[in-house]
Amino acid sequence: MNSLRTGSARKLIVPLGIVVLVALPGLILRIAGIHVEPLVGVLAFGAAIVAAAFALAWAGEAAEMDISGGLAIGLLAIIAILPEYAIDLYFAFSAGSDPSQAAYAAANMTGSNRLLLGFGWPFILLVAYLAFRAAQKRKASIDPDVVAKPFAIRLPGDARVELGLLLIASLVTLTIPITGQIHVALGIVLLLIFVYYLYRVSQAETDEPELVGVAQSIGSLSTVARRSTVIAIFVVSAVVILLLAEPFAESLVAGGKALGIDDFLLVQWLAPLASEAPEFVIAIIFALRGKSAMAIGMLLASKVNQWTALVGSLPIAHMIGGGGWALPMDARQVEEFVLTAAQTLLGISILLTLKFSGRWAALLFALFAVTFVVTGQEARYVVSALYAVIAVVLIVAHRRHLWPTLKAPFEFEAQQETQEPSART
């Protein structure tokens, strides 16, 4: 047993060493304060963030040996979206003394939310489908009689905890477009929902995970060594992501400005693209390994984090920065929030059956893409209405799943909904 653990420790040297080597140039540039050209900055800082994301994926899988899978995914999602928190809270804090920064805080928040759901979910399904097809071809080469099975990502029953809390949070945040502001009181309510979410997923039963590769090497360590390694990777990766998120985003924005791209669009789309990179990379890794449910589960957990903790933190950061009791939103920001809220409602309604298939991924992506073509206020409200109408139709069609979803966050017995073997990718 000791020799096995020693071998596992040795197997970690190479992959973790590669992570360190890839992250080192970006860290050196950041710590030394060396100014570089935007392209160099994107490559150096981006590579470091991606390396940290790989390490997080390994640690996140291994962490399931000691804590519930839901909590592991939740913590992983929190760390992965730290760049988003850092950038958004910076804008909200600055808005306390400079009201013009409030628009950027709202733009960054809505952009990251819509990017996560409109692009992230469909892209992960595409990656999972390609991995599934590759696995099917390998099976067919061994056994020609293997019948191709339909593809869909099926989430476990305990995913209703995230869906239920996301639905509740969405109903609570309806006050934002109605009042045209995010009040501190609302922020506290959303933060309490987030804290309850972490508590709830921590109570789920822990199953023995199926680990492969580097995660398996970490899991094979002794209990103390495994937990120490997981915690160390979480902490170091979080520090790397926090340190490099700002220069990475700045490099992207600087590059965009050089190309003549509007500042608002840069903050809304290029900066979130940078800050969402770690969680996208982690989700892609899971999907490629055939853990598509875990990949979508992580993006769902990230959505819960953003819609509760991130939105809830903005008015508090604004107040600490010298602002009032509410973060104001102008007409354009209200429009952006309505569009984001409507998209969120559609995402929830699609997952009510705990099944995510290609047609719904295509719909999410198509509606997301339309907003880049249709930029007028009235037209974007039409798209918002389309999101909402489809969502309501789906909720009515799947109404038998609505009450189980709403009550799931408050039920502490294990969720055991059946999954079809063919759908586990």
Side-chain angles (χ1 to χ4, degrees):
M1 181 63 71
N2 288 333
S3 61
L4 175 63
R5 290 171 177 172
T6 302
S8 298
R10 289 174 179 171
K11 289 179 181 179
L12 290 174
I13 295 176
V14 173
L16 293 181
I18 292 174
V19 166
V20 171
L21 289 176
V22 172
L24 206 54
L27 286 171
I28 292 174
L29 290 175
R30 172 60 165 162
I31 295 172
I34 301 172
H35 177 75
V36 295
E37 293 298 317
L39 178 58
V40 176
V42 168
L43 292 176
F45 301 133
I49 289 175
V50 169
F54 269 90
L56 278 174
W58 300 330
E61 287 186 84
E64 290 188 70
M65 294 190 65
D66 298 298
I67 59 178
S68 71
L71 182 58
I73 291 176
L75 293 176
L76 193 58
I78 292 172
I79 296 174
I81 64 171
L82 280 177
E84 180 61 33
Y85 277 84
I87 295 171
D88 232 342
L89 293 180
Y90 168 76
F91 284 129
F93 178 84
S94 301
S97 56
D98 181 5
S100 66
Q101 297 294 308
Y104 293 135
N108 196 257
M109 179 268 292
T110 55
S112 62
N113 268 272
R114 294 214 300 279
L115 183 68
L116 177 67
L117 205 154
F119 175 77
W121 288 18
F123 186 74
I124 290 304
L125 184 133
L126 175 61
V127 172
Y129 172 74
L130 294 176
F132 174 78
R133 291 294 297 165
Q136 289 290 99
K137 287 181 179 179
R138 286 194 298 270
K139 291 179 181 178
S141 65
I142 298 173
D143 182 2
D145 295 328
V146 171
V147 179
K149 298 177 180 178
F151 175 82
I153 296 177
R154 294 183 186 271
L155 299 177
D158 55 13
R160 291 200 185 279
V161 173
E162 282 88 355
L163 283 174
L165 288 174
L166 186 58
L167 180 55
I168 292 170
S170 297
L171 295 175
V172 171
T173 54
L174 287 177
T175 58
I176 296 176
I178 294 174
T179 61
Q181 62 181 12
I182 309 177
H183 199 276
V184 169
L186 175 62
I188 293 173
V189 171
L190 291 173
L191 287 173
L192 288 175
I193 292 175
F194 173 69
V195 171
Y196 178 77
Y197 160 64
L198 289 182
Y199 166 73
R200 177 62 183 81
V201 295
S202 71
Q203 302 303 304
E205 292 184 356
T206 302
D207 297 322
E208 188 70 24
E210 297 179 5
L211 304 179
V212 296
V214 180
Q216 184 181 44
S217 298
I218 297 175
S220 299
L221 297 173
S222 65
T223 301
V224 174
R226 180 181 66 247
R227 292 175 179 175
S228 300
T229 301
V230 168
I231 292 172
I233 291 176
F234 273 174
V235 172
V236 173
S237 297
V239 170
V240 170
I241 289 172
L242 278 176
L243 276 177
L244 303 186
E246 183 181 353
F248 184 32
E250 288 178 349
S251 297
L252 271 180
V253 170
K257 284 184 176 179
L259 297 174
I261 302 176
D262 178 69
D263 281 0
F264 188 89
L265 294 179
L266 286 173
V267 171
Q268 187 171 39
W269 298 117
L270 271 186
L273 186 62
S275 60
E276 299 284 354
E279 61 185 307
F280 279 166
V281 171
I282 295 172
I284 289 170
I285 293 171
F286 288 153
L288 287 173
R289 291 181 180 173
K291 297 185 176 184
S292 57
M294 190 172 182
I296 289 295
M298 181 186 164
L299 295 188
L300 179 59
S302 295
K303 180 66 178 177
V304 175
N305 292 341
Q306 290 184 351
W307 214 231
T308 55
L310 179 57
V311 176
S313 299
L314 294 181
I316 296 174
H318 173 256
M319 183 179 66
I320 294 174
W325 286 88
L327 178 66
M329 303 177 73
D330 60 24
R332 182 175 183 180
Q333 294 158 38
V334 169
E335 165 203 324
E336 293 287 343
F337 191 89
V338 169
L339 188 59
T340 306
Q343 185 204 50
T344 301
L345 183 62
L346 178 58
I348 295 170
S349 66
I350 287 173
L351 293 185
L352 277 178
T353 60
L354 300 181
K355 179 182 177 182
F356 188 46
S357 59
R359 60 177 177 173
W360 299 120
L363 176 66
L364 283 174
F365 181 75
L367 291 176
F368 173 69
V370 164
T371 59
F372 287 93
V373 180
V374 179
T375 57
Q377 185 180 64
E378 290 183 1
R380 287 163 74 84
Y381 274 122
V382 170
V383 175
S384 300
L386 187 58
Y387 271 126
V389 168
I390 298 174
V392 170
V393 170
L394 285 176
I395 289 173
V396 172
H398 302 145
R399 56 188 178 277
R400 69 186 182 90
H401 298 291
L402 184 58
W403 176 242
T405 299
L406 283 171
K407 70 178 182 178
F410 311 103
E411 293 181 335
F412 286 82
E413 63 270 17
Q415 303 282 334
Q416 296 294 339
E417 295 190 27
T418 303
Q419 296 188 55
E420 297 178 16
S422 62
R424 295 180 183 176
T425 60

